[in-house]
Amino acid sequence: MAPLSWRHHTLLQALLTRGPLSERDFHAVFAAVSGKNPATHQQLFNDTLLKINKELAFLQFELRACINQYDGMVYYGVANSIADEESKLGTKYSVPQIAFYKGLLEAIVQEAGNDGSITSIDALNVRLDNQVIIVGGSQDSQSLLPTSIKNFSLSQKEKTLDELIRDRWLSYTSTGKIGLGTRSFLDLRSWFCGNDIPSCVVCNEACIKASSCPNEECNVRIHEYCLRKKFSQRKASRACPGCSTEWPRQDGEANCDDDVNEPGEDEAPSANHSSRKRRKQVKAELVEENNNAGPSTAVPRSRTLRRAKAEAVEAAQEASSAGASQATRTSKRRKK
């Protein structure tokens, strides 16, 4: 197999130095180094990522994509594909900081409202002792906790929280709460599966931020962006895949059909009405213009009338062409 070229190295370097990149930014880097648009050269794009991953596999790394469940955007990044004790040594975080992150992670994924976020107060109140496994611990296991865990102060939690957000392991949601960051979605895919996090019935990915079926006895969850995709078609059924309960519309989801703004047969625009309306508007503008102008700059009446007539004729022609176009669409619909 041929070695990686400078183009492959450039893509990797961009991800390693800048962190996870949005799909738009990563596509821009790919287009810059290859001269090809990944949207129109999808096969070349896929082959490039496959070649990179074959080389990264020797190091237990993988270039992968994920969806940020808070904004629905796709991100690309390099993630560790194996979780072993050796890989845990390659972190800049201390033992209590890692324990704090684990506590935050559990609090976020177990959030009862399926919002996938917790308040800053709840984040600072996360306990670290639950994240430490004490081998052969007795009833008085609290005394066996490492000093660094017991002495982890509130100010240290605040500092660690800021670092985790800056490094994109965590993030602020649109509501100002604490949620998972892009790097968590990239790296923790196997952790989500191993901890029985409910998955979306549409994409089969873990549901951190998702909508639950309105039927309380049904456990079906669907990501909000998967909901929009699943119910985007005009005649798509809004029944829950698990219990057939009608799924309510989400905030911002269209309530009408795709052609809601297209005039019906009885709503074809009238050329005469548009012409009269445009003519009145032009005359009103000219009258206002003359009233505002001084005696030396007033527009002569003959020029005013000629101008009004010319603009009215032009408006009538535009309205006529619009009416003809609408009539064509109407006749096509009748034929169907």
Side-chain angles (χ1 to χ4, degrees), residues 63-269:
L63 195 166
R64 63 175 63 155
C66 73
I67 298 180
N68 187 322
Q69 298 188 17
Y70 301 100
D71 57 19
M73 293 181 59
V74 177
Y75 290 84
Y76 287 85
V78 177
N80 186 7
S81 60
I82 186 172
D84 53 14
E85 293 303 319
E86 288 76 12
S87 64
K88 295 178 182 178
L89 298 176
T91 177
K92 68 175 186 177
Y93 294 104
S94 63
V95 172
Q97 286 179 317
I98 295 176
F100 181 51
Y101 171 71
K102 289 181 178 179
L104 292 171
L105 179 62
E106 290 184 0
I108 290 172
V109 299
Q110 295 174 1
E111 196 273 325
N114 299 330
D115 186 47
S117 61
I118 57 176
T119 65
S120 299
I121 301 298
D122 291 336
L124 295 176
N125 287 330
V126 166
R127 298 181 58 181
L128 277 65
D129 52 357
N130 298 332
Q131 307 303 323
V132 180
I133 300 176
I134 301 176
V135 180
S138 60
Q139 294 181 351
D140 191 21
S141 58
Q142 186 71 22
S143 61
L144 300 178
L145 286 173
T147 305
S148 58
I149 295 290
K150 291 189 292 185
N151 297 337
F152 200 65
S153 63
L154 184 62
S155 60
Q156 288 175 304
K157 287 184 177 180
E158 291 178 340
K159 182 180 179 181
T160 302
L161 195 59
D162 291 339
E163 288 185 24
L164 291 170
I165 293 174
R166 184 173 62 250
D167 293 340
R168 301 169 73 177
W169 290 104
L170 299 176
S171 66
Y172 283 115
T173 67
S174 59
T175 58
K177 294 184 177 181
I178 306 295
L180 296 186
T182 307
R183 294 186 66 179
S184 292
F185 288 116
L186 278 171
D187 280 67
L188 300 181
R189 185 177 298 170
S190 59
W191 186 90
F192 294 146
C193 296
N195 286 269
D196 297 327
I197 306 301
S199 59
C200 173
V201 298
V202 176
C203 67
N204 205 33
E205 292 288 341
C207 282
I208 306 302
K209 177 178 173 57
S211 295
S212 297
C213 175
N215 182 2
E216 295 182 356
E217 297 181 357
C218 180
N219 295 324
V220 169
R221 293 185 183 181
I222 305 179
H223 296 127
E224 293 182 0
Y225 47 86
C226 290
L227 273 177
R228 290 192 292 269
K229 183 178 180 180
K230 180 177 177 62
F231 299 143
S232 61
Q233 298 181 0
R234 180 173 55 183
K235 297 182 180 180
S237 172
R238 299 190 64 85
C240 170
C243 65
S244 300
T245 301
E246 182 74 9
W247 206 288
R249 295 185 180 275
Q250 306 298 307
D251 293 339
E253 187 178 352
N255 254 323
C256 304
D257 295 339
D258 295 337
D259 58 350
V260 65
N261 292 324
E262 183 177 344
E265 295 181 11
D266 298 333
E267 298 174 354

